[in-house]
Amino acid sequence: MLSVDQVCALIDREVRRLPAVRLPLAETLGHDLAEEIRADADMPAFDRSAIDGYALPEDALPGWFNVVGEVTPGMAPFSAPGSGNAVRIFTGSALPASGVGLVMVEETESEGKRVLTRVAASRQHVRARGSQAKHGALLLKAGTKVNPGAVALLASVGATNPLVSGTPKIIHLVTGSELVAADVDPPAGYIRDSNSPLLAALIAEAGPGILAQRHVSESVDEAVEALEDFDGDMLLISGGASVGAYDGSAQILRRLGFVVHCSKVRSRPGKPLLFATRGRCAAFGLPGNPLSHFVCFYLFIRRAFDIMSGRVPQGMTRVHIDGDRPPSDPRETWWPASVRAEEGSLIAKALPWKDSSDITGLAPANALLRVGSSPGNDMFEALLFGNLEP
Ligand code: AMP
Ligand code: MG
């Protein structure tokens, strides 16, 4: 039986980063950039007005001016007005490269084709060419996660097909004759399938992935048939990872040509855990109990997902415990917890669970505490995943 650290090391050794791809900008949200993005021109690319008002000779003093024209945003830059003249301008109007100062419309009175300014013209409200970034300046580093702000920046420099991390293509097979879909009232002896929605949610949270889900019985033949054409990056099988008469995941994987690297891990919950590979495809067989499922996802699948997506897997963080310390057990326990930041430290509260099928206390979890086999002090290592509790 391998330790959690040993299985993580196996995953690090066997799983490869997917090749980067170019995606249309609208599909890049949540992906990591696989190239750096630089300004394709000065930003702004030309001097432009930040106000509605008038362009005057650069240092014009307050007084009367003849309004000789109007330049709306989108019109080509005009030439600087001569002495005594003014040009009506608007927010975004392109300005000549030199020789103009601006006065806000609020500081003027107009009378027919003449305008009276109450303040001297200045360049205070000129958005100067290159004042935000010079042509070629680094705007986004490779590895940056694309968020809405980054989407706007990419669009503004014309990067409409950026190179981003590859998207893992995943198939999830949920096994079990006792399962009905979550929208069905389960007859006696049946239970609702919560692992399919759980896994879909875990993957959606982890980042961009393409997920297909299927439900099959315990029949190895049925599973093999459902998977024969799969040519993706990750195969997940829920249930049947153990050694019972109906636990066929290892057989399914072997029949599909996978090399099984591990079939048990010394952890609680989640002891039966299969990790296998076939070429670039990584497979996990997960215990069907929902809490084991949850824990194994964050310990192992998330790690493989991150590596495929070109990210550094999340490391461990030190946290203080608040309230009762979770009890130790001969098997290392990964205890769901809710962690908050308080006065510069991270404080964890262990959440209740009765057994590996119990998810009634799981909703506030944003971390797993590593509880060793011997009682320690009040500091624990934790694997953080959701947002910190306020
Ligand atoms: P297994 O790993 O297939 O032996 O399943 C272990 C336990 O988890 C059994 O009690 C199953 O009924 C339960 N289980 C299996 N799959 C699911 C699922 N998709 N949703 C909820 N519980 C499940
Ligand atoms: Mg089962």
Side-chain angles (χ1 to χ4, degrees):
M1 203 168 3
L2 301 180
S3 69
V4 167
D5 288 340
Q6 284 171 320
V7 178
C8 288
L10 263 176
I11 292 170
D12 294 351
R13 193 187 76 194
E14 296 293 332
V15 176
R16 298 273 173 280
R17 179 181 186 158
L18 299 176
V21 290
R22 289 202 176 274
L23 283 188
L25 183 56
E27 292 170 24
T28 57
L29 190 67
H31 284 262
D32 292 345
L33 288 173
E35 62 176 346
E36 58 181 30
I37 300 294
R38 292 180 176 272
D40 67 329
D42 287 341
M43 297 175 75
F46 49 87
D47 283 2
R48 60 185 188 217
S49 173
I51 54 168
D52 294 333
Y54 294 89
L56 307 172
E58 185 159 353
D59 295 316
L61 295 173
W64 283 100
F65 295 84
N66 299 317
V67 180
V68 296
E70 179 175 282
V71 172
T72 53
M75 288 172 67
F78 52 96
S79 23
S83 165
N85 289 341
V87 174
R88 182 97 165 98
I89 45 95
F90 303 87
T91 306
S93 293
L95 303 173
S98 63
V100 284
L102 308 183
V103 173
M104 298 171 94
V105 70
E106 291 87 337
E107 301 288 359
T108 67
E109 269 162 51
S110 71
E111 229 182 67
K113 292 220 170 279
R114 282 161 60 75
V115 64
L116 174 65
T117 62
R118 285 191 291 265
V119 296
S122 80
R123 294 190 62 81
Q124 185 192 347
H125 298 296
V126 175
R127 291 187 179 145
R129 173 177 181 159
S131 56
Q132 296 163 0
K134 298 283 182 219
H135 182 197
L138 180 63
L139 299 177
L140 296 168
K141 286 187 192 151
T144 303
K145 185 171 175 165
V146 178
N147 61 13
V151 167
L153 191 52
L154 289 162
S156 71
V157 298
T160 52
N161 270 293
L163 193 66
V164 297
S165 51
T167 309
K169 212 170 141 207
I170 304 166
I171 191 161
H172 176 214
L173 208 66
V174 71
T175 69
S177 309
E178 76 279 34
L179 303 174
V180 294
D183 58 357
V184 172
D185 235 351
Y190 284 75
I191 57 167
R192 292 196 176 96
D193 168 17
S194 59
N195 284 341
S196 299
L198 170 63
L199 225 124
L202 289 165
I203 287 170
E205 182 195 63
I210 299 167
L211 175 67
Q213 293 186 301
R214 304 276 299 271
H215 175 210
V216 293
S217 73
E218 284 82 2
S219 152
V220 170
D221 289 340
E222 196 185 330
V224 168
E225 199 179 315
L227 293 170
E228 247 157 14
D229 297 334
F230 179 66
D231 184 31
D233 309 300
M234 202 188 276
L235 160 59
L236 306 174
I237 306 178
S238 288
S242 197
V243 292
Y246 295 102
D247 294 329
S249 297
Q251 268 191 65
I252 298 168
L253 290 171
R254 290 204 178 91
R255 277 198 29 202
L256 289 166
F258 280 80
V259 178
V260 177
H261 301 286
C262 133
S263 59
K264 264 192 208 139
V265 53
R266 206 183 310 113
S267 77
R268 191 177 73 113
K271 182 169 86 168
L273 183 273
L274 290 155
F275 170 57
T277 53
R278 184 185 68 189
R280 67 180 164 82
C281 184
F284 292 90
L286 294 161
N289 276 305
L291 186 61
S292 309
H293 225 75
F294 184 86
V295 168
C296 288
F297 181 88
Y298 282 113
L299 292 181
F300 308 120
I301 300 174
R302 176 77 191 248
R303 187 175 194 90
F305 186 95
D306 284 345
I307 295 171
M308 286 183 180
S309 308
R311 302 198 190 115
V312 180
Q314 174 89 37
M316 302 294 287
T317 311
R318 307 275 293 169
V319 298
H320 293 273
I321 201 85
D322 169 21
D324 290 344
R325 287 186 341 98
S328 47
D329 182 273
R331 259 191 290 152
E332 187 175 78
T333 307
W334 292 83
W335 199 287
S338 125
V339 175
R340 63 184 191 274
E342 211 172 274
E343 289 166 8
S345 354
L346 294 175
I347 314 287
K349 198 168 177 52
L351 297 168
W353 57 285
K354 296 232 155 45
D355 57 63
S356 59
S357 68
D358 182 9
I359 51 171
T360 53
L362 198 55
N366 61 2
L368 294 173
L369 297 182
R370 178 185 213 148
V371 184
S373 53
S374 52
N377 55 20
D378 285 345
M379 289 290 282
F380 284 87
E381 279 190 303
L383 184 67
L384 300 183
F385 41 83
N387 295 326
L388 287 185
E389 282 287 292

